[in-house]
Amino acid sequence: MNRTQQPAVTLFAIGMIGLGVLALVYGDFAMVWQPVPAGIPGRTLLAYASGVIMLLGGVGLLVEATAAWAARLLFPYLVLWALLKVPALIVAPRMEAVWLGFGELAVLLTGGWFLFGKLAKVPNGSPLGFLTNDTGIFIARLLFALSLIPIGLSHIVYVKETTELVPAWLPYRVGWAYLTGAGQIAAGLGVLFSVLPRIAAGAEAAMISLFTLLVWAPAIAAAPKTRLPWTAFFISWAIASAAWVVAQNVAPKQSTHPQ
């Protein structure tokens, strides 16, 4: 991980720290973004454990000496987190909203996957080596690209709800909903087919970053004691930072299949 890639790591770490703090403050998971069943035994204890993992992992990424173990800690956690959305895909595979939810967490997972590949220092011969070799990183890239498509489609399928999130001071709010949806689909296709993949991933990261700052930061200012805007802000921040991690690690032009 070179110096030009460090800002993305820092942003990712901040997102994890913020979510970890919220989990510890509320003794709960990240609302609809972490759909842990209410009746699961020891749910509150698991929520605190989740907060500790995110907090320690985020802080660990900020220190060079602990970055490797932090990446090793966060990657399996993010895998389990993404798997929480799989039951909804099985129950309602035709509902775009469930693909949106999975796509957001899959983007977060791919950021952790790229960091795992760059920072974890997996030894030669390790059973986990397939996750960090060229094929593993190629799969992570494909997952990232495919995940952007349902995220973009949600802006079009749920254009009314998306429009309501567009700041009121922007003109042509419906147009922005369609434009950002199309932009996210285009970004996914760009990464998928290796058409300026670094620019495509960077454009996606920039769009999510602007969404975070223009939608959820004002929501926090309007209701600073309300849990939802804080959770949504740090979820959106973490997803945006994951996209930045991918953007800074995807080659400007690479083959559409591993060597």
Side-chain angles (χ1 to χ4, degrees):
M1 188 71 59
N2 59 46
R3 287 187 178 182
T4 61
Q5 295 166 331
Q6 286 300 326
V9 180
T10 301
L11 293 174
F12 193 88
I14 293 171
M16 290 294 100
I17 292 169
L19 290 171
V21 170
L22 288 174
L24 294 176
V25 168
Y26 291 101
D28 197 6
F29 294 95
M31 305 179 76
V32 297
W33 293 276
Q34 279 185 324
V36 178
I40 190 171
R43 189 179 186 279
T44 300
L45 182 61
L46 290 173
Y48 281 119
S50 171
V52 170
I53 289 172
M54 290 187 285
L55 180 60
L56 291 180
V59 172
L61 287 176
L62 296 175
V63 182
E64 185 175 357
T66 57
W69 72 256
R72 296 171 193 163
L73 177 67
L74 288 172
F75 178 61
Y77 173 80
L78 294 173
V79 171
L80 291 175
W81 188 351
L83 290 176
L84 290 174
K85 289 289 186 177
V86 172
L89 295 178
I90 297 172
V91 172
R94 296 183 180 181
M95 184 180 295
E96 210 288 330
V98 301
W99 289 99
L100 162 65
F102 178 78
E104 290 176 333
L105 296 186
V107 170
L108 183 58
L109 168 58
T110 56
W113 193 335
F114 271 81
L115 288 180
F116 184 77
K118 292 291 183 179
L119 299 175
K121 300 178 182 178
V122 176
N124 292 333
S126 168
L128 299 178
F130 75 96
L131 292 169
T132 60
N133 61 21
D134 289 344
T135 299
I137 297 302
F138 172 76
I139 294 172
R141 174 180 158 227
L142 285 184
L143 178 60
F144 175 81
L146 292 172
S147 298
L148 300 186
I149 295 174
I151 295 175
L153 280 174
S154 71
H155 288 219
I156 299 168
V157 174
Y158 305 111
V159 65
K160 179 178 181 294
E161 292 80 0
T162 304
T163 301
E164 290 173 353
L165 292 173
V166 177
W169 51 267
L170 279 175
Y172 311 112
R173 295 169 72 198
V174 174
W176 282 107
Y178 281 115
L179 180 63
T180 53
Q184 290 182 309
I185 294 171
L189 294 176
V191 176
L192 182 63
F193 294 108
S194 198
V195 179
L196 303 175
R198 178 171 289 179
I199 293 175
E204 175 64 21
M207 282 189 285
I208 303 175
S209 297
L210 286 173
F211 181 86
T212 304
L213 296 175
L214 294 178
V215 175
W216 295 119
I220 290 174
K225 296 182 179 180
T226 304
R227 178 184 173 191
L228 174 60
W230 283 103
T231 302
F233 176 85
F234 279 111
I235 287 285
S236 187
W237 179 292
I239 294 170
S241 64
W244 283 118
V245 169
V246 174
Q248 293 189 343
N249 285 280
V250 169
K253 177 70 176 178
Q254 61 188 85
S255 172
T256 55
H257 56 81
Q259 300 298 319

